[in-house]
Every structure is written in structure tokens, then in C-alpha cells.
Amino acid sequence: MTEPLLGRNIAVAVGGGIAAYKACDFVRELRRAGAEVRVAMTKGACEFITPLTMQNLSGNPVFTDTFDSSQDHLYGHLQLAKWADLFVIAPATADLLARIKAGLGNDAVTTTLLAFRGPVLLAPAMNTAMWEHAETQATVAALVAQPKYRMVGPVAGPLADGDVGMGRLAELKELVTAVTAIAVAGPLAGKRVLVTAGPTREALDPVRFISNPSTGKMGLAMAEVARALGAVVTVVLGPVETVPPRGLEVIRVTTADEMLAAVMGRVEAVDVFVAAAAVSDWKAEQVSSTKVKKGEGVETVRLVRTPDVLATASAKVHGNPKRPVLMGFAAETHDVEAYARGKLTKKRLDLIVANDVSQAGAGFGSDSNRVIVFDGTGERLRAEGSKRDVAKEIWGVVLERRVG
Ligand code: CTP
């Protein structure tokens, strides 16, 4: 694959050492490999390279100061920690390593790291004597003993200060390889995920149809996060304007019947099926092949039910020893829990994500969502935020069970 980091959100934290200039090329390489990159810099790093350089190279604003309210709206430390799938510290100076080890949160980098739950790749770079110092060695040993931390480099060679020895930042290629190795070894590596997203559209005649305002954003966020976690993802997508993120197999459909056909051909081969589509519940009994002319009186259209894609897929895999984890979505305006749990039981699902579409900032078209996830035993999660952040939390619940 030419873009192995497609769909990955990578935070690059830059420490204050001369190797900071190499972080510029590193950010470029990550983007070339398909990653979305955001940068945080220590005060020391800003002495070596400017945030503006990193802003241009990453294509995103740079986080340098936890106490600068003008940066708060960008993404602050908590947002950046939530956003990132992987954190790379390059260069990791002796001072920065020591602060991370001590659990300090005294600048943009360390506050973000404290709030970050995912994997962290340390790329140390410093003078040989500093690297060989007993305190630095003890710090590094303590960090890499934790499963959260991996390390790449340093390597031996000529250093900026004229010394020759251990302490150079790992070569660019090695850095990118180390990032890729962590990224593709996500918890869903080797798993297949099928997602339905968007509305369906049921024609009445060549110019009219029944549909709903779904934009597919939540389903696409579920797909994008699954991809970032290492899965191979297929999305069966109804008619939407939203441009699907790269790195997904996208099958475009229009009607519920087409969605059903696309899902039934694939559901037995996947490890997780996420039904996030807002499938139209009805279609016209008769579709006119020519435009229907309006009359004066009341018109009657006879509607019949569309197939239930999720229920039909669930029935198909029911009893298979290797059946996929089945997840439905329930858009409700009232009695959210009762209706959601009813659908969980009726369609024999493992999980259902309920969202109260009557609330502002949740549901159709919105970029944010507020959800409650239930399984057969009860409530498992309440989550609120951008659809991608919510999708990450939902996948956290899926990953608590055996997938595949
Ligand atoms: N679903 C589906 N095919 C349909 C209808 C719904 O696959 N024809 C899926 C949706 O993708 C979602 C879940 O089923 O995962 C929603 O369940 P459903 O009971 O259909 O919800 P509503 O359509 O909201 O039902 P109701 O109108 O009865 O509330």
C-alpha cells in the first residue's frame, strides 16, 4: 500500500533539541504516508524551529501553550489527546523524557501526554554524554518497561556538537517504519468490518423519492476509526454529500434493497457488522416509470415496508460459531432506553447505540453526537463529543468483547 497511514491521526510532540529541525521532514513524511498530523511543541522546541513551520508542514494549527486561551479553541491538551491514535515524541530530549517519566504536566506536550491513553513512540536524540547518563538510562528503562511506550533510536553517528557517538535521532525512514508498525498493529489488525451508513432513497417516480436527512457522518466516523484501529473496512453507503475518508472500500447504493444485497453478500465474512444507516422504512408499492402529474384532490400513495437490512443480516449469521459482532443504531426522540433495548433483543444484536435525535448537538447532520450504548446486560457507555471521538469510545466498548 502506498499510503500505509491513511486514516491515522498522529500527534507529533517536538522537544527542544537541535534534532527538532528533523521533525519537520518527519511530519512531511507522515503526511505523505497518508496520516493526518497535529503537532505540539515544548517551549524549547520553539527556540529551534517555529510553530509556523510546523503549522505549514502539518496543515494544522500547532499547540504550544496550555495557558494561551487563543489556542484553547484549536484543540487544547484534552482534545488533542482524544483526537490522536498515536503519539510520537521526536526528538525526545533528556529533559522531556525525565518529565514524562515523572508524570509532570507542565507544558503543551506533557499535559497532552498525561491525558493520552494510546501508544507512544519515543524517538530520543541528545548528546552522547547526556544519553549515557545514569539518570537518562534509568528514565528510558522505566518508560519502555510500560507497554504504552515504544522506542526508536537513538543511533550512533556524528552529532551536531561535533562529538561522534550514540544520540542521533533515528533516521527518517526508521521513524516512519516504527510508526507504521505500531499503527498497523492496532487492536483490529487483520479484522474485517462492515458498516452501513447514510440514508436510503426510495423512488416514487423518476423525480420524487422518500428519504431522510441522514448524512452518513456517524457511520463514516465508525468506519474511519475501525480503519485507524487496523481493520479492513467496507462501507455500504447510501446517497450522501459527505465525502468518505480515504482508506475505506466504499460501495454506493441507493435503495434499501440494494443495501440489503450488498450486506448479505458480505456479512458472513466479517468480524464486526455496524448498521449505522438510516434505512427508509417504506417504499412505494408501485414506482411510476414516468413523472406523476399532480391532480387537484388528495393523492394516495400505497407504501410497503422495505427489508430490515440489520435484522435480515442478523438472522443469516445467527447460530454461526464465528458470527460477527452485531451493532445497531437507534435514533429515538423519546423513551430512548426502552426502545433501544427492545431493538437489541428483537434483532438479536450484541450492542446498540442509542441517540436522542430530539437533542441539540446530536443526530442527523450534526458533527457532534451524544449516545448511550447498551448490551444485553444494560448500559455500557455514555459518550458525547465529535462523531469521531464518540466513534472511538464506541469501538472501545466493542473491543471489550471477543472480535473474530
Ligand atoms: N435498520 C436496517 N434496515 C431497516 C431499518 C433499520 O438495517 N430497514 C437498522 C438501522 O441501520 C439501525 C437499526 O436497524 O441500526 C434501527 O432499528 P429500527 O428498529 O429499524 O429503528 P427505526 O427505523 O428507528 O425503527 P422505528 O421507526 O420503529 O423506531
Side-chain angles (χ1 to χ4, degrees):
M1 196 185 302
T2 52
E3 294 183 304
L5 295 175
L6 259 184
R8 267 41 172 208
N9 286 352
I10 298 180
V12 175
V14 186
I18 179 61
Y21 81 92
K22 294 185 182 170
C24 299
D25 270 343
F26 174 52
V27 165
R28 256 184 20 173
E29 284 304 311
L30 290 178
R31 292 192 70 197
R32 227 176 252 156
E36 176 82 10
V37 181
R38 290 184 183 179
V39 176
M41 293 169 69
T42 64
K43 286 266 178 298
C46 298
E47 300 288 330
F48 286 94
I49 56 169
T50 72
L52 187 62
T53 309
M54 279 303 196
Q55 178 175 320
N56 278 288
L57 293 173
S58 67
N60 280 308
V62 174
F63 186 44
T64 57
D65 189 349
T66 339
F67 298 111
D68 180 351
S69 55
S70 70
Q71 294 192 5
D72 217 37
H73 73 282
L74 298 177
Y75 29 74
H77 66 289
L78 296 180
Q79 284 93 323
L80 182 55
K82 260 192 182 181
W83 172 87
D85 303 317
L86 166 66
F87 228 97
V88 190
I89 320 283
T93 59
D95 171 72
L96 185 50
L97 288 167
R99 288 191 290 125
I100 295 169
K101 156 74 180 40
L104 296 185
N106 52 4
D107 65 5
V109 169
T110 50
T111 45
T112 310
L113 257 185
L114 276 179
F116 180 61
R117 295 179 195 276
V120 179
L121 178 66
L122 304 169
M126 65 197 75
N127 160 273
T128 309
M130 292 172 83
W131 173 250
E132 288 174 351
H133 194 288
E135 290 294 346
T136 308
Q137 286 303 308
T139 298
V140 167
L143 285 172
V144 298
Q146 301 176 44
K148 181 184 176 76
Y149 293 101
R150 325 282 167 81
M151 193 165 71
V152 54
V155 295
L159 300 172
D161 52 23
D163 277 5
V164 176
M166 196 61 153
R168 275 171 67 90
L169 186 73
E171 295 305 324
L172 210 52
K173 208 167 147 243
E174 257 187 84
L175 288 176
V176 176
T177 306
V179 169
T180 309
I182 296 173
V184 301
L188 288 175
K191 305 292 178 198
R192 297 194 68 93
V193 171
L194 179 64
V195 179
T196 64
T200 65
R201 191 180 275 182
E202 315 296 334
L204 298 172
D205 71 9
V207 297
R208 303 181 181 95
F209 57 79
I210 302 172
S211 192
N212 61 66
S214 167
T215 54
K217 285 181 184 167
M218 191 63 220
L220 288 171
M222 288 298 294
E224 193 183 4
V225 172
R227 167 85 172 95
L229 293 170
V232 174
V233 184
T234 303
V235 185
V236 180
L237 184 61
V240 291
E241 300 281 319
T242 317
V243 179
R246 292 177 305 162
L248 310 172
E249 182 194 13
V250 179
I251 297 161
R252 300 270 184 177
V253 296
T254 304
T255 67
D257 287 298
E258 288 168 12
M259 187 171 276
L260 180 70
V263 166
M264 294 307 265
R266 291 171 175 79
V267 71
E268 283 173 303
V270 299
D271 301 292
V272 185
F273 174 41
V274 177
V279 183
S280 171
D281 288 316
W282 295 281
K283 60 182 176 180
E285 187 175 45
Q286 296 282 333
V287 181
S288 172
S289 59
T290 53
K291 184 179 170 189
V292 176
K293 288 294 174 189
K294 56 183 171 292
E296 287 307 319
V298 174
E299 297 287 350
T300 305
V301 183
R302 280 180 64 87
L303 299 177
V304 292
R305 292 290 303 274
T306 53
D308 188 319
V309 178
L310 175 55
T312 315
S314 172
K316 181 166 188 181
V317 297
H318 184 68
N320 287 6
K322 284 211 68 183
R323 75 161 178 82
V325 172
L326 299 170
M327 178 191 289
F329 276 69
E332 309 292 347
T333 54
H334 59 286
D335 295 325
V336 176
E337 173 163 359
Y339 281 122
R341 295 190 68 177
K343 290 170 189 179
L344 178 90
T345 313
K346 190 160 165 236
K347 301 190 189 192
R348 288 198 280 227
L349 309 179
D350 299 291
L351 294 161
I352 191 140
V353 181
N355 61 342
D356 186 343
V357 286
S358 68
Q359 305 234 357
F364 289 138
S366 167
D367 284 319
S368 61
N369 209 349
R370 186 180 305 134
V371 304
I372 313 176
V373 180
F374 301 96
D375 70 4
T377 64
E379 185 178 317
R380 300 302 311 277
L381 171 79
R382 273 173 195 257
E384 183 174 353
S386 76
K387 285 186 169 169
R388 196 178 194 277
D389 289 345
V390 168
K392 265 179 131 171
E393 295 204 42
I394 296 172
W395 276 111
V397 176
V398 178
L399 288 169
E400 285 168 12
R401 41 184 75 231
R402 198 181 61 81
V403 175

PDB file of all heavy atoms in Angstrom, residues 196 256 259 273 275-281 305-311 327-332 339 343 347 349 352, ligand 1:
ATOM      1  N   THR A 196     -22.874  -0.040   7.478  1.00  0.00           N
ATOM      2  CA  THR A 196     -23.832   0.659   6.604  1.00  0.00           C
ATOM      3  C   THR A 196     -23.936   2.088   7.098  1.00  0.00           C
ATOM      4  O   THR A 196     -23.891   2.334   8.302  1.00  0.00           O
ATOM      5  CB  THR A 196     -25.238   0.025   6.606  1.00  0.00           C
ATOM      6  OG1 THR A 196     -25.813   0.131   7.918  1.00  0.00           O
ATOM      7  CG2 THR A 196     -25.207  -1.424   6.159  1.00  0.00           C
ATOM      8  N   ALA A 256     -32.971   0.546  -0.154  1.00  0.00           N
ATOM      9  CA  ALA A 256     -32.825  -0.446   0.926  1.00  0.00           C
ATOM     10  C   ALA A 256     -32.548  -1.827   0.326  1.00  0.00           C
ATOM     11  O   ALA A 256     -31.744  -2.592   0.874  1.00  0.00           O
ATOM     12  CB  ALA A 256     -34.092  -0.472   1.772  1.00  0.00           C
ATOM     13  N   MET A 259     -28.988  -1.984  -0.584  1.00  0.00           N
ATOM     14  CA  MET A 259     -28.157  -2.067   0.630  1.00  0.00           C
ATOM     15  C   MET A 259     -28.187  -3.496   1.174  1.00  0.00           C
ATOM     16  O   MET A 259     -27.162  -4.057   1.556  1.00  0.00           O
ATOM     17  CB  MET A 259     -28.658  -1.070   1.676  1.00  0.00           C
ATOM     18  CG  MET A 259     -27.756  -0.980   2.899  1.00  0.00           C
ATOM     19  SD  MET A 259     -28.218   0.365   4.007  1.00  0.00           S
ATOM     20  CE  MET A 259     -27.373   1.743   3.253  1.00  0.00           C
ATOM     21  N   PHE A 273     -20.200  -6.186  12.277  1.00  0.00           N
ATOM     22  CA  PHE A 273     -21.127  -5.501  11.372  1.00  0.00           C
ATOM     23  C   PHE A 273     -21.774  -4.354  12.145  1.00  0.00           C
ATOM     24  O   PHE A 273     -22.421  -4.573  13.172  1.00  0.00           O
ATOM     25  CB  PHE A 273     -22.195  -6.476  10.845  1.00  0.00           C
ATOM     26  CG  PHE A 273     -23.264  -5.804  10.009  1.00  0.00           C
ATOM     27  CD1 PHE A 273     -22.946  -4.813   9.088  1.00  0.00           C
ATOM     28  CD2 PHE A 273     -24.607  -6.159  10.136  1.00  0.00           C
ATOM     29  CE1 PHE A 273     -23.918  -4.177   8.320  1.00  0.00           C
ATOM     30  CE2 PHE A 273     -25.592  -5.537   9.372  1.00  0.00           C
ATOM     31  CZ  PHE A 273     -25.245  -4.543   8.472  1.00  0.00           C
ATOM     32  N   ALA A 275     -24.439  -1.415  11.809  1.00  0.00           N
ATOM     33  CA  ALA A 275     -25.539  -0.900  10.981  1.00  0.00           C
ATOM     34  C   ALA A 275     -25.872   0.510  11.445  1.00  0.00           C
ATOM     35  O   ALA A 275     -26.634   0.701  12.390  1.00  0.00           O
ATOM     36  CB  ALA A 275     -26.755  -1.814  11.098  1.00  0.00           C
ATOM     37  N   ALA A 276     -25.256   1.484  10.797  1.00  0.00           N
ATOM     38  CA  ALA A 276     -25.494   2.876  11.183  1.00  0.00           C
ATOM     39  C   ALA A 276     -26.380   3.595  10.170  1.00  0.00           C
ATOM     40  O   ALA A 276     -26.681   4.773  10.338  1.00  0.00           O
ATOM     41  CB  ALA A 276     -24.161   3.609  11.323  1.00  0.00           C
ATOM     42  N   ALA A 277     -26.795   2.897   9.120  1.00  0.00           N
ATOM     43  CA  ALA A 277     -27.601   3.556   8.079  1.00  0.00           C
ATOM     44  C   ALA A 277     -28.992   3.890   8.608  1.00  0.00           C
ATOM     45  O   ALA A 277     -29.543   3.181   9.455  1.00  0.00           O
ATOM     46  CB  ALA A 277     -27.722   2.632   6.863  1.00  0.00           C
ATOM     47  N   ALA A 278     -29.520   4.989   8.094  1.00  0.00           N
ATOM     48  CA  ALA A 278     -30.916   5.337   8.378  1.00  0.00           C
ATOM     49  C   ALA A 278     -31.725   4.836   7.175  1.00  0.00           C
ATOM     50  O   ALA A 278     -31.955   5.566   6.211  1.00  0.00           O
ATOM     51  CB  ALA A 278     -31.043   6.839   8.538  1.00  0.00           C
ATOM     52  N   VAL A 279     -32.080   3.566   7.253  1.00  0.00           N
ATOM     53  CA  VAL A 279     -32.763   2.931   6.123  1.00  0.00           C
ATOM     54  C   VAL A 279     -34.214   3.407   6.101  1.00  0.00           C
ATOM     55  O   VAL A 279     -34.880   3.396   7.132  1.00  0.00           O
ATOM     56  CB  VAL A 279     -32.719   1.392   6.268  1.00  0.00           C
ATOM     57  CG1 VAL A 279     -33.357   0.715   5.072  1.00  0.00           C
ATOM     58  CG2 VAL A 279     -31.282   0.911   6.464  1.00  0.00           C
ATOM     59  N   SER A 280     -34.659   3.814   4.938  1.00  0.00           N
ATOM     60  CA  SER A 280     -36.067   4.216   4.827  1.00  0.00           C
ATOM     61  C   SER A 280     -36.938   3.010   5.180  1.00  0.00           C
ATOM     62  O   SER A 280     -36.672   1.891   4.740  1.00  0.00           O
ATOM     63  CB  SER A 280     -36.354   4.669   3.394  1.00  0.00           C
ATOM     64  OG  SER A 280     -37.747   4.846   3.242  1.00  0.00           O
ATOM     65  N   ASP A 281     -37.940   3.220   6.003  1.00  0.00           N
ATOM     66  CA  ASP A 281     -38.771   2.081   6.425  1.00  0.00           C
ATOM     67  C   ASP A 281     -39.805   1.694   5.369  1.00  0.00           C
ATOM     68  O   ASP A 281     -40.353   0.613   5.416  1.00  0.00           O
ATOM     69  CB  ASP A 281     -39.477   2.417   7.741  1.00  0.00           C
ATOM     70  CG  ASP A 281     -38.489   2.427   8.905  1.00  0.00           C
ATOM     71  OD1 ASP A 281     -37.650   1.504   8.967  1.00  0.00           O
ATOM     72  OD2 ASP A 281     -38.535   3.360   9.730  1.00  0.00           O
ATOM     73  N   ARG A 305     -43.329  -1.964   3.299  1.00  0.00           N
ATOM     74  CA  ARG A 305     -42.100  -1.946   4.093  1.00  0.00           C
ATOM     75  C   ARG A 305     -40.885  -2.331   3.237  1.00  0.00           C
ATOM     76  O   ARG A 305     -40.978  -3.190   2.366  1.00  0.00           O
ATOM     77  CB  ARG A 305     -42.216  -2.926   5.264  1.00  0.00           C
ATOM     78  CG  ARG A 305     -43.240  -2.530   6.324  1.00  0.00           C
ATOM     79  CD  ARG A 305     -42.774  -1.310   7.099  1.00  0.00           C
ATOM     80  NE  ARG A 305     -41.471  -1.547   7.725  1.00  0.00           N
ATOM     81  CZ  ARG A 305     -41.313  -2.110   8.917  1.00  0.00           C
ATOM     82  NH1 ARG A 305     -42.374  -2.476   9.615  1.00  0.00           N
ATOM     83  NH2 ARG A 305     -40.117  -2.300   9.419  1.00  0.00           N
ATOM     84  N   THR A 306     -39.781  -1.687   3.545  1.00  0.00           N
ATOM     85  CA  THR A 306     -38.510  -2.096   2.937  1.00  0.00           C
ATOM     86  C   THR A 306     -37.957  -3.263   3.777  1.00  0.00           C
ATOM     87  O   THR A 306     -38.406  -3.468   4.904  1.00  0.00           O
ATOM     88  CB  THR A 306     -37.490  -0.945   2.992  1.00  0.00           C
ATOM     89  OG1 THR A 306     -37.410  -0.516   4.357  1.00  0.00           O
ATOM     90  CG2 THR A 306     -37.898   0.203   2.102  1.00  0.00           C
ATOM     91  N   PRO A 307     -36.998  -4.002   3.254  1.00  0.00           N
ATOM     92  CA  PRO A 307     -36.397  -5.043   4.092  1.00  0.00           C
ATOM     93  C   PRO A 307     -35.634  -4.414   5.249  1.00  0.00           C
ATOM     94  O   PRO A 307     -35.075  -3.324   5.098  1.00  0.00           O
ATOM     95  CB  PRO A 307     -35.423  -5.747   3.133  1.00  0.00           C
ATOM     96  CG  PRO A 307     -35.135  -4.763   2.062  1.00  0.00           C
ATOM     97  CD  PRO A 307     -36.378  -3.917   1.915  1.00  0.00           C
ATOM     98  N   ASP A 308     -35.610  -5.093   6.381  1.00  0.00           N
ATOM     99  CA  ASP A 308     -34.773  -4.645   7.501  1.00  0.00           C
ATOM    100  C   ASP A 308     -33.386  -5.254   7.293  1.00  0.00           C
ATOM    101  O   ASP A 308     -33.184  -6.454   7.475  1.00  0.00           O
ATOM    102  CB  ASP A 308     -35.378  -5.078   8.836  1.00  0.00           C
ATOM    103  CG  ASP A 308     -34.624  -4.448  10.012  1.00  0.00           C
ATOM    104  OD1 ASP A 308     -33.377  -4.382   9.962  1.00  0.00           O
ATOM    105  OD2 ASP A 308     -35.294  -4.024  10.973  1.00  0.00           O
ATOM    106  N   VAL A 309     -32.458  -4.424   6.866  1.00  0.00           N
ATOM    107  CA  VAL A 309     -31.115  -4.905   6.492  1.00  0.00           C
ATOM    108  C   VAL A 309     -30.440  -5.571   7.690  1.00  0.00           C
ATOM    109  O   VAL A 309     -29.921  -6.694   7.602  1.00  0.00           O
ATOM    110  CB  VAL A 309     -30.243  -3.728   5.967  1.00  0.00           C
ATOM    111  CG1 VAL A 309     -28.842  -4.211   5.627  1.00  0.00           C
ATOM    112  CG2 VAL A 309     -30.914  -3.066   4.772  1.00  0.00           C
ATOM    113  N   LEU A 310     -30.481  -4.889   8.821  1.00  0.00           N
ATOM    114  CA  LEU A 310     -29.788  -5.403  10.010  1.00  0.00           C
ATOM    115  C   LEU A 310     -30.431  -6.702  10.508  1.00  0.00           C
ATOM    116  O   LEU A 310     -29.732  -7.692  10.780  1.00  0.00           O
ATOM    117  CB  LEU A 310     -29.809  -4.328  11.117  1.00  0.00           C
ATOM    118  CG  LEU A 310     -29.243  -4.718  12.469  1.00  0.00           C
ATOM    119  CD1 LEU A 310     -27.808  -5.234  12.365  1.00  0.00           C
ATOM    120  CD2 LEU A 310     -29.287  -3.529  13.436  1.00  0.00           C
ATOM    121  N   ALA A 311     -31.760  -6.711  10.607  1.00  0.00           N
ATOM    122  CA  ALA A 311     -32.433  -7.912  11.120  1.00  0.00           C
ATOM    123  C   ALA A 311     -32.217  -9.093  10.182  1.00  0.00           C
ATOM    124  O   ALA A 311     -32.014 -10.238  10.629  1.00  0.00           O
ATOM    125  CB  ALA A 311     -33.932  -7.626  11.295  1.00  0.00           C
ATOM    126  N   MET A 327     -23.829  -4.730  15.681  1.00  0.00           N
ATOM    127  CA  MET A 327     -24.146  -3.482  16.366  1.00  0.00           C
ATOM    128  C   MET A 327     -25.161  -2.679  15.571  1.00  0.00           C
ATOM    129  O   MET A 327     -24.995  -2.468  14.366  1.00  0.00           O
ATOM    130  CB  MET A 327     -22.874  -2.636  16.525  1.00  0.00           C
ATOM    131  CG  MET A 327     -23.155  -1.306  17.199  1.00  0.00           C
ATOM    132  SD  MET A 327     -21.756  -0.198  17.104  1.00  0.00           S
ATOM    133  CE  MET A 327     -20.684  -1.006  18.230  1.00  0.00           C
ATOM    134  N   GLY A 328     -26.228  -2.265  16.238  1.00  0.00           N
ATOM    135  CA  GLY A 328     -27.232  -1.427  15.588  1.00  0.00           C
ATOM    136  C   GLY A 328     -27.213  -0.024  16.166  1.00  0.00           C
ATOM    137  O   GLY A 328     -26.593   0.230  17.203  1.00  0.00           O
ATOM    138  N   PHE A 329     -27.873   0.867  15.492  1.00  0.00           N
ATOM    139  CA  PHE A 329     -28.064   2.229  15.984  1.00  0.00           C
ATOM    140  C   PHE A 329     -29.558   2.458  16.130  1.00  0.00           C
ATOM    141  O   PHE A 329     -30.354   1.917  15.353  1.00  0.00           O
ATOM    142  CB  PHE A 329     -27.478   3.255  14.995  1.00  0.00           C
ATOM    143  CG  PHE A 329     -26.006   3.477  15.193  1.00  0.00           C
ATOM    144  CD1 PHE A 329     -25.090   2.482  14.891  1.00  0.00           C
ATOM    145  CD2 PHE A 329     -25.539   4.687  15.694  1.00  0.00           C
ATOM    146  CE1 PHE A 329     -23.728   2.673  15.089  1.00  0.00           C
ATOM    147  CE2 PHE A 329     -24.180   4.900  15.882  1.00  0.00           C
ATOM    148  CZ  PHE A 329     -23.267   3.896  15.590  1.00  0.00           C
ATOM    149  N   ALA A 330     -29.926   3.232  17.111  1.00  0.00           N
ATOM    150  CA  ALA A 330     -31.343   3.537  17.295  1.00  0.00           C
ATOM    151  C   ALA A 330     -31.494   5.039  17.471  1.00  0.00           C
ATOM    152  O   ALA A 330     -30.975   5.610  18.428  1.00  0.00           O
ATOM    153  CB  ALA A 330     -31.881   2.805  18.508  1.00  0.00           C
ATOM    154  N   ALA A 331     -32.125   5.670  16.518  1.00  0.00           N
ATOM    155  CA  ALA A 331     -32.400   7.101  16.626  1.00  0.00           C
ATOM    156  C   ALA A 331     -33.783   7.242  17.249  1.00  0.00           C
ATOM    157  O   ALA A 331     -34.770   6.774  16.683  1.00  0.00           O
ATOM    158  CB  ALA A 331     -32.361   7.742  15.245  1.00  0.00           C
ATOM    159  N   GLU A 332     -33.843   7.857  18.400  1.00  0.00           N
ATOM    160  CA  GLU A 332     -35.116   7.954  19.105  1.00  0.00           C
ATOM    161  C   GLU A 332     -35.381   9.398  19.519  1.00  0.00           C
ATOM    162  O   GLU A 332     -34.438  10.185  19.675  1.00  0.00           O
ATOM    163  CB  GLU A 332     -35.094   7.077  20.375  1.00  0.00           C
ATOM    164  CG  GLU A 332     -34.656   5.628  20.156  1.00  0.00           C
ATOM    165  CD  GLU A 332     -35.650   4.808  19.351  1.00  0.00           C
ATOM    166  OE1 GLU A 332     -36.798   5.265  19.160  1.00  0.00           O
ATOM    167  OE2 GLU A 332     -35.288   3.711  18.900  1.00  0.00           O
ATOM    168  N   TYR A 339     -36.828   1.785  23.945  1.00  0.00           N
ATOM    169  CA  TYR A 339     -36.883   1.449  22.519  1.00  0.00           C
ATOM    170  C   TYR A 339     -35.577   0.815  22.045  1.00  0.00           C
ATOM    171  O   TYR A 339     -35.573  -0.164  21.296  1.00  0.00           O
ATOM    172  CB  TYR A 339     -37.192   2.696  21.686  1.00  0.00           C
ATOM    173  CG  TYR A 339     -38.659   3.078  21.702  1.00  0.00           C
ATOM    174  CD1 TYR A 339     -39.067   4.334  22.135  1.00  0.00           C
ATOM    175  CD2 TYR A 339     -39.635   2.174  21.265  1.00  0.00           C
ATOM    176  CE1 TYR A 339     -40.411   4.689  22.146  1.00  0.00           C
ATOM    177  CE2 TYR A 339     -40.982   2.524  21.280  1.00  0.00           C
ATOM    178  CZ  TYR A 339     -41.359   3.778  21.720  1.00  0.00           C
ATOM    179  OH  TYR A 339     -42.683   4.117  21.739  1.00  0.00           O
ATOM    180  N   LYS A 343     -34.989  -3.017  20.485  1.00  0.00           N
ATOM    181  CA  LYS A 343     -34.398  -3.324  19.166  1.00  0.00           C
ATOM    182  C   LYS A 343     -33.225  -4.286  19.306  1.00  0.00           C
ATOM    183  O   LYS A 343     -33.014  -5.163  18.469  1.00  0.00           O
ATOM    184  CB  LYS A 343     -33.935  -2.029  18.475  1.00  0.00           C
ATOM    185  CG  LYS A 343     -35.110  -1.173  18.026  1.00  0.00           C
ATOM    186  CD  LYS A 343     -34.706   0.211  17.554  1.00  0.00           C
ATOM    187  CE  LYS A 343     -35.964   1.056  17.356  1.00  0.00           C
ATOM    188  NZ  LYS A 343     -35.660   2.418  16.922  1.00  0.00           N
ATOM    189  N   LYS A 347     -33.702  -7.768  17.287  1.00  0.00           N
ATOM    190  CA  LYS A 347     -32.821  -8.041  16.138  1.00  0.00           C
ATOM    191  C   LYS A 347     -31.635  -8.917  16.537  1.00  0.00           C
ATOM    192  O   LYS A 347     -30.733  -9.120  15.726  1.00  0.00           O
ATOM    193  CB  LYS A 347     -32.345  -6.722  15.516  1.00  0.00           C
ATOM    194  CG  LYS A 347     -33.514  -5.854  15.043  1.00  0.00           C
ATOM    195  CD  LYS A 347     -33.065  -4.666  14.213  1.00  0.00           C
ATOM    196  CE  LYS A 347     -34.260  -3.732  13.973  1.00  0.00           C
ATOM    197  NZ  LYS A 347     -34.017  -2.716  12.971  1.00  0.00           N
ATOM    198  N   LEU A 349     -29.011  -8.460  18.645  1.00  0.00           N
ATOM    199  CA  LEU A 349     -27.743  -7.740  18.482  1.00  0.00           C
ATOM    200  C   LEU A 349     -26.880  -7.925  19.722  1.00  0.00           C
ATOM    201  O   LEU A 349     -27.375  -8.314  20.784  1.00  0.00           O
ATOM    202  CB  LEU A 349     -28.019  -6.246  18.286  1.00  0.00           C
ATOM    203  CG  LEU A 349     -29.030  -5.881  17.207  1.00  0.00           C
ATOM    204  CD1 LEU A 349     -29.221  -4.370  17.157  1.00  0.00           C
ATOM    205  CD2 LEU A 349     -28.576  -6.415  15.849  1.00  0.00           C
ATOM    206  N   ILE A 352     -26.203  -1.960  21.013  1.00  0.00           N
ATOM    207  CA  ILE A 352     -26.979  -0.948  20.289  1.00  0.00           C
ATOM    208  C   ILE A 352     -26.579   0.434  20.790  1.00  0.00           C
ATOM    209  O   ILE A 352     -26.359   0.639  21.983  1.00  0.00           O
ATOM    210  CB  ILE A 352     -28.506  -1.179  20.390  1.00  0.00           C
ATOM    211  CG1 ILE A 352     -29.249  -0.265  19.409  1.00  0.00           C
ATOM    212  CG2 ILE A 352     -29.037  -0.991  21.811  1.00  0.00           C
ATOM    213  CD1 ILE A 352     -30.408  -0.895  18.721  1.00  0.00           C
TER     214      ILE A 352
HETATM  215  N1  CTP B   1     -32.171  -0.847  10.029  1.00  0.00           N
HETATM  216  C1  CTP B   1     -31.910  -1.590   8.897  1.00  0.00           C
HETATM  217  N2  CTP B   1     -32.866  -1.718   7.943  1.00  0.00           N
HETATM  218  C2  CTP B   1     -34.063  -1.130   8.072  1.00  0.00           C
HETATM  219  C3  CTP B   1     -34.336  -0.371   9.213  1.00  0.00           C
HETATM  220  C4  CTP B   1     -33.360  -0.238  10.176  1.00  0.00           C
HETATM  221  O1  CTP B   1     -30.803  -2.112   8.778  1.00  0.00           O
HETATM  222  N3  CTP B   1     -34.975  -1.281   7.116  1.00  0.00           N
HETATM  223  C5  CTP B   1     -31.155  -0.765  11.078  1.00  0.00           C
HETATM  224  C6  CTP B   1     -30.555   0.599  11.229  1.00  0.00           C
HETATM  225  O2  CTP B   1     -29.376   0.733  10.463  1.00  0.00           O
HETATM  226  C7  CTP B   1     -30.257   0.660  12.734  1.00  0.00           C
HETATM  227  C8  CTP B   1     -31.380  -0.141  13.320  1.00  0.00           C
HETATM  228  O3  CTP B   1     -31.773  -1.058  12.325  1.00  0.00           O
HETATM  229  O4  CTP B   1     -29.058   0.024  13.053  1.00  0.00           O
HETATM  230  C9  CTP B   1     -32.526   0.707  13.728  1.00  0.00           C
HETATM  231  O5  CTP B   1     -33.558  -0.114  14.084  1.00  0.00           O
HETATM  232  P1  CTP B   1     -35.086   0.201  13.711  1.00  0.00           P
HETATM  233  O6  CTP B   1     -35.917  -0.585  14.632  1.00  0.00           O
HETATM  234  O7  CTP B   1     -35.355  -0.006  12.313  1.00  0.00           O
HETATM  235  O8  CTP B   1     -35.127   1.695  14.035  1.00  0.00           O
HETATM  236  P2  CTP B   1     -36.100   2.655  13.441  1.00  0.00           P
HETATM  237  O9  CTP B   1     -36.137   2.633  11.946  1.00  0.00           O
HETATM  238  O10 CTP B   1     -35.745   3.931  14.094  1.00  0.00           O
HETATM  239  O11 CTP B   1     -37.443   1.984  13.990  1.00  0.00           O
HETATM  240  P3  CTP B   1     -38.712   2.714  14.459  1.00  0.00           P
HETATM  241  O12 CTP B   1     -39.082   3.546  13.301  1.00  0.00           O
HETATM  242  O13 CTP B   1     -39.620   1.599  14.754  1.00  0.00           O
HETATM  243  O14 CTP B   1     -38.264   3.474  15.669  1.00  0.00           O
END
